[in-house]
Amino acid sequence: MDGPLAGTRVIDASTILAGPLACQILGDFGADVVKIEHPVAGDGMRGHGPSREGTPLWWKEISRNKRAVGLSLSTPEGAAVFLRLVATADVVVENFRPGTLERWGLGPERLHEVNPGLVLARITGFGQTGPYAARAGFGTLAEAMSGFAHLTGQADGPPTLPAFGLADSICGIAASSAISMALLARERNGGQGQVIDLSLLEPIMTAVGPGPTVFQQLGTIGARHGNRSTNNAPRNAYETNDGHWVAVSTSAQAIAERVLRLVGHPEVIDEPWFASGHTRAERADLLDDHVGSWIAARSRSEVVEAFTGAGAAIAPVYSARDLVEDAHVRETGMLTEVPDDDLGPVLQHNVMWRMSSTPGRIRFTGRDLGADTDAVLGELGVPADELDRLRDQGVIR
């Protein structure tokens, strides 16, 4: 089997990055994903990140399990072809600015005329309505507005943005969940589709935590604390004597006690303030000194082995090389090699979770622009001479 979504057709009409990731996940679990790109410009994801001899590496993963079609939706001829494709689909994912599909005659009402069972997922920076709906939306903006940047960084430093697409990725994972819910609802309500309105901002707001609730109830605003936490201590990143870093967490009281015994300071465990994470956090300087000095005298392997043996929580701070070389990551299949015509065996993240009865799999890597246009449109009954005409007009590639 190709996964729980085998037999489901998804049209990925989205671009960088949340929508394509959502569709990657759906494709990993069996959906027939048809990737729609502008026939000339393609998806901007093709130019994102490093490439090898002109072959974009991120594209090979984000567009795996997707058949590539070059089609201009902004032309009447292209819109007509798109409607024929929509009639065969279960899901459409798009991330144009609000009103764009409507301007092309492809708004939700029109799509549902063609296919009442369609699930239309609309991903934007700030949603389909509200004062900011028309603004350009990128993950960086959501990371700034969500409270993430405000809480991230050193106490005496500036707000810090992530060096990767955090908001987009959280949104993409959320979108795959929302689409799955909508497909289940369709099954239960007699086949009626619906529209999903999802912004980049809301999922990362949730991930940041209950800051608005705390402000509304207590009038307090969170602040930056570097790698420390206001909820427990010791909690930080510590450097070992061989130049590596490790992260320690003591969210559970028993773990905190084990850590302090291990580093040779059992006397603090009996202090009244040690009994809760909040009061331990008030003495983070002391606890960081105890833990940090012990770790600084040892190598990373010695530290990890000692913490693991003591039942304390620790993890090395990994680079991409460390992940690739980690025995647990490799043995459990978190990374997997996939054959590719351009790159040979290419290492990628595996499907995101394991399912015992209907596992997903990577069938093929990201395709060239328009590689499957003739095959996909041929399935709709578009004759060869019409394909030639549309291609000559620049409507398809």
Side-chain angles (χ1 to χ4, degrees):
M1 294 185 64
D2 280 334
L5 295 177
T8 303
R9 172 166 284 186
V10 176
I11 301 176
D12 179 3
S14 62
T15 56
I16 311 167
L17 160 66
L21 177 57
C23 294
Q24 176 206 311
I25 295 169
L26 300 176
D28 285 351
F29 286 92
D32 171 25
V33 181
V34 177
K35 174 68 181 178
I36 303 295
E37 303 175 72
H38 189 277
V40 178
D43 185 344
M45 279 300 302
R46 290 184 179 273
H48 256 52
S51 62
R52 177 185 164 193
E53 298 177 355
T55 299
L57 302 181
W58 199 352
W59 179 261
K60 291 294 184 178
E61 178 168 324
I62 197 74
S63 287
R64 69 192 188 194
N65 295 331
K66 301 178 185 180
R67 296 195 285 167
V69 172
L71 177 64
S72 174
L73 304 187
S74 62
T75 64
E77 296 86 354
V81 172
F82 185 71
L83 288 174
R84 294 178 67 173
L85 190 57
V86 166
T88 71
D90 298 283
V91 178
V92 168
V93 179
E94 64 96 3
N95 69 338
F96 300 105
R97 287 201 196 187
T100 301
L101 282 187
E102 287 82 354
R103 188 170 67 252
W104 295 339
L106 298 172
E109 295 79 7
R110 181 69 180 113
L111 298 185
H112 281 137
E113 285 179 9
V114 172
N115 184 350
L118 183 73
V119 172
L120 174 60
R122 314 193 76 177
I123 302 173
T124 56
F126 303 102
Q128 295 292 317
T129 61
Y132 303 156
R135 290 186 180 182
F138 296 99
T140 299
L141 311 185
E143 289 147 8
M145 290 181 64
S146 64
F148 174 86
H150 174 78
L151 293 174
T152 305
Q154 297 300 320
D156 57 353
T160 302
L161 295 165
F164 56 94
L166 179 63
D168 279 278
S169 298
I170 294 173
C171 184
I173 297 168
S176 71
S177 176
I179 291 165
S180 299
M181 292 180 193
L183 290 173
L184 178 61
R186 186 182 69 171
E187 182 179 315
R188 293 178 172 178
N189 68 12
Q192 183 61 44
Q194 61 180 297
V195 178
I196 299 168
D197 178 5
L198 180 60
S199 73
L200 294 177
L201 181 57
E202 287 182 273
I204 191 172
M205 281 175 59
T206 300
V208 168
T213 304
V214 173
F215 174 73
Q216 185 258 342
Q217 291 291 314
L218 302 177
T220 57
I221 299 173
R224 291 184 290 283
H225 300 281
N227 291 320
R228 288 178 173 176
S229 169
T230 58
N231 298 315
N232 64 81
R235 191 266 198 182
N236 214 324
Y238 307 92
E239 190 173 11
T240 61
N241 70 0
D242 54 353
H244 295 291
W245 292 82
V246 294
V248 173
S249 175
T250 58
S251 296
Q253 181 68 23
I255 298 295
E257 294 175 5
R258 292 171 192 167
V259 168
L260 270 298
R261 288 193 185 98
L262 173 64
V263 302
H265 289 278
E267 73 280 359
V268 301
I269 297 172
D270 296 326
E271 295 287 346
W273 54 261
F274 198 85
S276 79
H278 287 290
T279 50
R280 292 201 310 274
E282 293 172 357
R283 290 160 176 82
D285 286 342
L286 173 67
L287 296 175
D288 274 347
D289 182 65
H290 289 337
V291 175
S293 59
W294 187 91
I295 288 175
R298 292 162 174 82
S299 69
R300 181 173 71 177
S301 60
E302 291 174 319
V303 171
V304 171
E305 182 178 357
F307 267 71
T308 303
I314 193 170
V317 176
Y318 271 177
S319 67
R321 172 184 288 177
D322 295 318
L323 278 173
V324 169
E325 296 175 350
D326 184 84
H328 180 83
V329 170
R330 296 306 292 263
E331 185 173 327
T332 57
M334 294 181 187
L335 298 173
T336 186
E337 286 190 346
V338 186
D340 179 79
D341 291 340
D342 299 312
L343 301 171
V346 56
L347 191 67
Q348 296 188 352
H349 299 99
N350 207 340
V351 296
M352 204 172 294
W353 50 83
R354 313 292 181 261
M355 299 181 70
S356 60
S357 297
T358 55
R361 68 185 181 97
I362 304 170
R363 301 183 296 280
F364 52 87
T365 58
R367 310 267 284 156
D368 292 339
L369 175 57
D372 303 289
T373 300
D374 287 4
V376 171
L377 299 189
E379 293 169 4
L380 303 178
V382 180
D385 60 343
E386 186 176 350
L387 291 175
D388 291 339
R389 179 179 61 80
L390 292 172
R391 188 167 281 113
D392 289 342
Q393 294 175 342
V395 175
I396 67 171
R397 175 166 175 171

